[in-house]
Amino acid sequence: MSKRRTHARELFAPLGPNYDRVGATLSFGQDPRWRRTMVSRVPNDGGTVLDVATGTGLVAEQLLARGHRVTGLDQSPDMLAVARRRFGDRIELVEASATDIPFPDASF
């Protein structure tokens, strides 16, 4: 594992359980707005979406609510643990780096 990836994993490791609350506070409550805006740009065709850097799954949650099949990808096992508690088996969650996506081209 690269030094950079190791650093990123260590940086996010303790944040999982509090990430959503801290993100909302640091963005002065604006984080739901940018998530809605981003998700509104995805064609509402019920297609399959890869949520890269899914973290705790807040974007994936909105994609799922719009009828998409979602795969969440993140390099932090701690963030994915929070997402697993949020979704159960409703979406696939994959631990991997955004620079080394383990899916064939045009899968999403």
Side-chain angles (χ1 to χ4, degrees):
M1 184 179 311
S2 75
K3 186 175 181 179
R4 187 174 179 184
R5 184 168 179 212
T6 300
H7 174 71
R9 286 179 70 150
E10 290 171 357
L11 179 68
F12 283 95
L15 300 178
N18 300 309
Y19 185 81
D20 297 349
R21 183 176 45 80
V22 171
T25 301
L26 292 176
S27 74
F28 299 103
Q30 295 302 303
D31 57 322
R33 177 184 286 171
W34 68 256
R35 276 193 299 278
R36 277 192 310 271
T37 299
M38 182 172 51
V39 168
S40 74
R41 302 298 194 268
V42 176
N44 201 13
D45 60 3
T48 302
V49 179
L50 177 62
D51 180 16
V52 177
T54 196
T56 62
L58 293 174
V59 171
E61 187 171 54
Q62 289 190 12
L63 289 163
L64 192 64
R66 289 189 56 179
H68 295 284
R69 292 176 305 282
V70 181
T71 297
L73 180 134
D74 203 283
Q75 67 180 359
S76 170
D78 297 286
M79 297 290 259
L80 288 173
V82 174
R84 280 190 183 87
R85 285 192 295 277
R86 173 173 274 135
F87 296 113
D89 62 356
R90 292 183 298 149
I91 73 169
E92 179 182 9
L93 294 166
V94 177
E95 183 181 333
S97 169
T99 59
D100 191 23
I101 296 175
F103 301 103
D105 290 350
S107 295
F108 300 91

